[in-house]
Amino acid sequence: SAGGAAPPAVVLLNAGATARTGPHRLNVKLARRFAARGVSTLRCDLSGQGDSRPAERSMDFDRQSVVDLRQALDAIESRTGIDRGGIFGICSGAVLGYAAALEEPRIVGCAMLDPYMYPTLRTHLNRLAAVLAHTGVLATARGWIHRRLTPRGREAARAKAAARGGSGLGLTRPTPEAFAAGLNTLLDRRVSLLMIYSGSELYSYNYAGQFDDGFRRFGLAGRISVEYLPDVAHTVTTLDAQRLLGDLLLEWTRGIPDASGRR
């Protein structure tokens, strides 16, 4: 980087209950690609996951994860002298990385695959069109009647809505206003942000430009790098998808400011 400053390191988080190797060994492959570009990485097992023992202290999972990530940055600094870092996670790992970035000034880059999702009217229309094309009008109508007009259907719909509202690890999706405020805070700190949405979330995110449509009223449209990858699965299954994700993340690392503040 400019001035000879070492580039920031990158912490690669667990994806849900998957260990630090990542789904389909994704984190291992990313770490090797980063290393080839001179970027140090740490593949991190959060407390109680992978090879990491449960934390001795008693605190919520999301709070403990912020502590864990601070300790990961401490470990990087003690071994390499690099005192700034980026963070990448998938799904729950993405939102945990975002939460840590809000509290930890050493995090100067945050890349997220399938973080919080906020459907727009177009999202719902796209989903309806896809369901109609797959099941037909009559079957779709019967399903709608069951979900809306029967006790069992309403209960199932409420359970699905609750599951979509969080990460499954006690993390509740913030309101759009709160998420926008957090993103603006990171932008004000010049944190390099990258948000990537896969093609696996038909219900919640299903077209390019959805983030800008939903967050234009908060002044965020066009200010954050957002990619929609309809041919990439949530767990980045294929080799082509893994290479594409790696390309995007390598480009993101070039925008992370180094110790001098240069990008």
Side-chain angles (χ1 to χ4, degrees), residues 120-127 206-208 213:
T120 65
L121 175 60
R122 181 176 169 187
T123 311
H124 296 307
L125 293 175
N126 286 348
R127 175 178 177 268
N206 58 32
Y207 69 94
D213 286 351

Side-chain angles (χ1 to χ4, degrees), residues 149-184:
L149 302 182
T150 68
R152 181 176 296 179
R154 288 196 296 269
E155 180 61 30
R158 282 194 293 269
K160 288 183 179 179
R164 287 192 299 269
S167 68
L169 292 169
L171 299 165
T172 301
R173 184 179 65 178
T175 64
E177 291 80 5
F179 191 42
L183 293 173
N184 272 310

Side-chain angles (χ1 to χ4, degrees), residues 35-49:
R37 294 294 184 90
V39 178
S40 300
T41 61
L42 174 63
R43 294 183 288 111
C44 180
D45 280 332
L46 298 174
S47 292
Q49 295 182 305

Side-chain angles (χ1 to χ4, degrees), residues 121-250:
L121 175 60
R122 181 176 169 187
T123 311
H124 296 307
L125 293 175
N126 286 348
R127 175 178 177 268
L128 177 60
V131 172
L132 286 171
H134 181 69
T135 64
V137 175
L138 289 179
T140 301
R142 284 196 296 268
W144 185 91
I145 291 170
H146 173 73
R147 289 191 301 275
R148 297 299 180 92
L149 302 182
T150 68
R152 181 176 296 179
R154 288 196 296 269
E155 180 61 30
R158 282 194 293 269
K160 288 183 179 179
R164 287 192 299 269
S167 68
L169 292 169
L171 299 165
T172 301
R173 184 179 65 178
T175 64
E177 291 80 5
F179 191 42
L183 293 173
N184 272 310
T185 295
L186 297 178
L187 288 173
D188 289 343
R189 277 179 34 210
R190 300 185 70 238
V191 174
S192 179
L193 295 175
L194 172 62
M195 300 172 65
I196 304 169
Y197 290 95
S198 73
S200 296
E201 306 295 335
L202 175 65
Y203 190 96
S204 300
Y205 203 105
N206 58 32
Y207 69 94
Q210 178 176 317
F211 177 85
D212 282 355
D213 286 351
F215 285 84
R216 185 169 285 107
R217 60 192 169 118
F218 303 112
L220 286 171
R223 296 182 61 207
I224 296 175
S225 295
V226 182
E227 298 282 348
Y228 174 57
L229 307 179
D231 297 324
V232 173
H234 179 65
T235 54
V236 200
T237 307
T238 68
L239 294 177
D240 285 343
Q242 292 168 11
R243 281 190 288 268
L244 175 57
L245 177 64
D247 291 343
L248 290 172
L249 291 174
L250 281 171

Side-chain angles (χ1 to χ4, degrees), residues 85-89 93-102 107-113 183 186 191-196 224-225 249 252 256:
I87 192 164
F88 167 68
V95 300
L96 289 171
Y98 161 77
L102 287 174
I107 297 177
V108 291
C110 186
M112 301 169 271
L113 173 58
L183 293 173
L186 297 178
V191 174
S192 179
L193 295 175
L194 172 62
M195 300 172 65
I196 304 169
I224 296 175
S225 295
L249 291 174
W252 161 71
I256 300 177

Side-chain angles (χ1 to χ4, degrees), residues 34 62 86 95 157 226 262:
F34 287 165
D62 51 340
V95 300
V226 182
R262 298 186 180 94

